[in-house]
Structure formats: structure tokens, C-alpha cells
Amino acid sequence: MFDKILKEICEENEYEIREYSGRSFAKDLMGIVIPNGMRSFGMFVHELTLKVSTNALELQGEDKDSEAREMYELLENFIQTLEFDSMGRDEQVLYSREFKWADYQNAIGEEEED
């Protein structure tokens, strides 16, 4: 569900999610291209946190505490392990070495089948 939320936020804000391989041996990772770079980063994290929290609270109301806990853990891990790379004058790519492109595609594919 975390991957689905991430995809929704990126689509709403027209951020591109794509495979990223770059500096410092970063390879085959899920990258998020943010056009306004660091100016938009704070809003991205805020929106992601708000949406994950809202969904987690709904899951808790449905007695799915373990799913809600997992969403919070993924959010925390994602934010704590974010790295940045410049993609020109204004664009930044955000990525975490713990979030692989193949894993993201598999998660999105499985959720779309449900």
C-alpha cells in the first residue's frame, strides 16, 4: 500500500517515478524526479506523511494494525534513507538504496491486480 500512495502523490504532483542508477554505486533504484528540486521536497514529504497517516488510521479502524504499522515503518525508512542527486539546474532525483525499482514495480503490479 505504501508504494500505491507514493505513486498517487507523484501522479498528483506530476513527479516522475523511474529507475535510477547514478553516483556512489546507486544502481537499479526507484527514483523520484522533483522538478523544483529542494523547494518542493518539503511539500513532498509533508503530503506523503499526511496520506500515509490517513490511510494507516483507516486501517487501524478496520483492525488491520499490522498493515498500518508496516506503512509507518516503510515511511520512516524511506524518509530516513533518502539521498539526492541533481538532474540539471532545478530538478532533483530522490532515492533510497533500500527501495529497488523492481520491488516497486512488483508492488504496484500486485496492487493493480487486486
Side-chain angles (χ1 to χ4, degrees):
M1 177 161 286
F2 178 79
D3 297 296
K4 180 182 173 192
I5 292 170
L6 193 59
K7 181 180 177 185
E8 288 174 12
I9 288 174
C10 288
E11 286 175 351
E12 289 170 5
N13 292 291
E14 298 180 5
Y15 300 154
E16 178 187 3
I17 298 179
R18 66 179 190 169
E19 184 174 8
Y20 173 76
S21 294
R23 66 182 188 179
S24 302
F25 307 104
K27 184 164 175 55
D28 302 324
L29 305 175
M30 177 196 62
I32 301 168
V33 179
I34 296 184
N36 292 325
M38 297 308 290
R39 291 178 293 222
S40 297
F41 172 68
M43 286 305 299
F44 169 75
V45 170
H46 172 74
E47 288 178 34
L48 180 61
T49 303
L50 183 62
K51 196 152 199 157
V52 165
S53 297
T54 301
N55 281 283
L57 286 173
E58 289 172 4
L59 288 173
Q60 287 175 335
E62 298 172 8
D63 293 327
K64 296 182 181 180
D65 290 335
S66 62
E67 288 182 48
R69 196 172 318 113
E70 180 182 351
M71 283 180 43
Y72 281 126
E73 288 171 3
L74 285 169
L75 173 66
E76 180 180 20
N77 187 30
F78 181 72
I79 291 173
Q80 287 182 346
T81 60
L82 275 180
E83 296 181 41
F84 306 88
D85 195 3
S86 175
M87 304 223 16
R89 184 168 177 224
D90 289 329
E91 291 184 337
Q92 291 281 325
V93 63
L94 310 175
Y95 64 95
S96 168
R97 293 175 193 270
E98 297 182 28
F99 286 78
K100 305 292 183 194
W101 178 246
D103 294 340
Y104 169 77
Q105 288 192 308
N106 289 338
I108 293 300
E110 290 171 7
E111 288 176 359
E112 289 177 354
E113 289 175 8
D114 290 343

